[in-house]
Amino acid sequence: MITPEPENAPRISLERIGVVMRADPDNPQEKLGVLNPAVTRGPDGHTYLFPRIVAEGNYSRIARARVLFDGQGRPYGVERLGVVLEPTGGWERDTQTAGVEDPRITRLDELGVWAMTYTAYGPLGPRIGLATSTDLTAWRRRGPVLFEYEDRYETDFNLYPNKDAVLFPEPVTAPDGRPAFALLHRPSFDLWAIRSSAGAVPPRGVAETRQSVWVSYAPVEEVAGSPARLARFGQHRFVAGPEQPWENVKIGAGPVPLRTDAGWLLIYHGVAGRLSYEWPQPGIRYAAGAMLLAHDDVTDVRWRTAAPLLEPATSEERNGIVPEVVFPTAIDPRGDGAADLYFGMADDKIGVARLTVA
């Protein structure tokens, strides 16, 4: 059920700018496309894009590029600056391929680092990886994200495939009342990738078995003493699941949440159609919506769009490696309520739109 719109809910408008990055046909590392980037401001004030670049065999790396702007301050292209993360870890590879995919980057001022969450495609399917950097060039892996056991669920969240992870840019209040770094993520309770006949095995008391947005917490006081502790999260809570026809299959978090006066603005993706375990997946459609999470309790969904903010419409969004896909993963605030939203287009190029929040 869609929650009522609060009086101070943000008014959101969106204007497409266009394609900001395409695969370089002369670069074999980009043979299958560039897509689903992270974005952040660097120490030098420039805006940097961290795209997933895909080589033959669905082998994915994370690259770095400086965003180029025209005289009106609109992004129009990139300057490539090389690869920053390769799938070299054993948990990022399987017998057929390897992948570090779909990054999100959050600046954590309390720790003096940028934190990158990404999907590591390894022996048991997708898992969440985490790395940190002090300069956006050298990244130190903190390992796969681990989830603490909670008896209330009678399960181990580490058993489930998981992806679409993103950290809030500042501490929030955890269920135990302590300030904590909060991680949005999307566990999959369908264990087909591990055993094709397993079906959905949800935690105790969880009625929604479709892929949904969850949040887990790492206490600030514990992480401050050991940065590696940032890769361990507990106090897992459900945030939101599919509700509307355009998101009937699954939903997942997109870019770093934006703080507004009314709450945390989260842009998310929704998938409609028929879920398949083939790749590329036929018969699905990705669109994007927004939800507002309370400042004091990010599991409290104050408001949510009933219709998509962004859905496949242009030829670049409707045709590609996976047709009918817009997949927002990065947002760059530009001031005066405007932000540039970067998104994957049909899984092989990167688009950008100007988002205005009033």
Side-chain angles (χ1 to χ4, degrees):
M1 182 179 70
I2 295 295
T3 53
E5 183 167 330
E7 292 183 3
N8 60 343
R11 301 294 184 265
I12 306 171
S13 61
L14 185 143
E15 175 194 3
R16 283 177 173 83
I17 294 175
V19 179
V20 73
M21 187 175 185
R22 299 178 187 271
D24 178 354
D26 297 323
N27 184 351
Q29 293 183 343
E30 299 181 6
K31 183 176 178 61
L32 291 186
V34 299
L35 61 153
N36 305 354
V39 73
T40 192
R41 299 289 181 90
D44 56 6
H46 289 297
T47 298
Y48 290 94
L49 202 67
F50 292 78
R52 170 186 171 186
I53 61 174
V54 189
E56 191 72 54
N58 198 30
Y59 185 103
S60 295
R61 301 170 172 88
I62 295 172
R64 177 173 174 255
R66 186 169 65 88
V67 179
L68 305 176
F69 294 87
D70 64 19
Q72 285 71 49
R74 295 158 68 91
Y76 70 87
V78 300
E79 174 191 2
R80 286 167 168 79
L81 299 172
V83 171
V84 295
L85 207 64
E86 291 262 5
T88 55
W91 49 287
E92 299 166 343
R93 312 172 64 89
D94 64 21
T95 57
Q96 297 177 319
T97 188
V100 286
E101 307 174 354
D102 304 350
R104 280 80 158 174
I105 293 177
T106 306
R107 173 66 186 182
L108 299 177
D109 288 333
E110 290 77 11
L111 303 178
V113 300
W114 286 269
M116 177 195 294
T117 50
Y118 60 94
T119 298
Y121 196 87
L124 295 177
R127 293 294 188 274
I128 298 168
L130 191 144
T132 59
S133 177
T134 57
D135 61 7
L136 298 180
T137 301
W139 290 86
R140 179 178 178 182
R141 283 175 174 82
R142 297 297 180 176
V145 167
L146 298 177
F147 295 100
E148 297 173 353
Y149 176 76
E150 291 189 31
D151 186 62
R152 61 184 289 173
Y153 295 119
E154 290 186 345
T155 193
D156 180 357
F157 274 77
N158 298 297
L159 298 176
Y160 299 116
N162 207 328
K163 59 195 310 186
D164 293 329
V166 62
L167 285 159
F168 282 78
E170 61 187 69
V172 302
T173 303
D176 65 3
R178 291 188 291 172
F181 298 104
L183 179 81
L184 297 174
H185 56 105
R186 196 203 68 194
S188 175
F189 302 134
D190 188 339
L191 302 181
W192 68 271
I194 298 172
R195 189 172 72 250
S196 60
S197 61
V201 186
R204 181 181 68 178
V206 175
E208 180 58 85
T209 60
R210 291 174 295 178
Q211 295 172 42
S212 303
V213 178
W214 284 66
V215 65
S216 299
Y217 302 86
V220 171
E221 61 185 10
E222 296 180 13
V223 176
S226 174
R229 176 65 174 78
L230 186 60
R232 186 179 179 93
F233 290 84
Q235 302 182 73
H236 323 303
R237 297 293 187 273
F238 178 86
V239 177
E243 291 188 351
Q244 296 298 318
W246 60 271
E247 55 182 20
N248 71 298
V249 172
K250 57 183 176 180
I251 67 170
V256 176
L258 287 179
R259 174 180 273 278
T260 72
D261 291 341
W264 291 105
L265 180 65
L266 174 67
I267 306 298
Y268 71 98
H269 65 269
V271 182
R274 178 180 61 85
L275 186 63
S276 169
Y277 303 124
E278 305 170 37
W279 189 89
Q281 293 187 48
I284 60 170
R285 187 172 190 265
Y286 280 71
M291 63 179 72
L292 193 67
L293 310 178
H295 288 139
D296 57 340
D297 177 5
V298 298
T299 68
D300 179 7
V301 180
R302 304 290 307 283
W303 163 81
R304 188 166 164 180
T305 51
L309 290 175
L310 181 69
E311 54 188 326
T314 70
S315 60
E316 291 90 353
E317 297 161 357
R318 302 196 65 187
N319 301 284
I321 298 296
V322 182
E324 300 290 334
V325 170
V326 292
F327 191 83
T329 49
I331 196 163
D332 178 33
R334 304 302 301 173
D336 297 326
D340 290 338
L341 180 68
Y342 293 85
F343 56 96
M345 308 170 90
D347 265 21
D348 67 3
K349 61 192 80 69
I350 295 170
V352 60
R354 182 63 54 86
L355 192 75
T356 303
V357 182

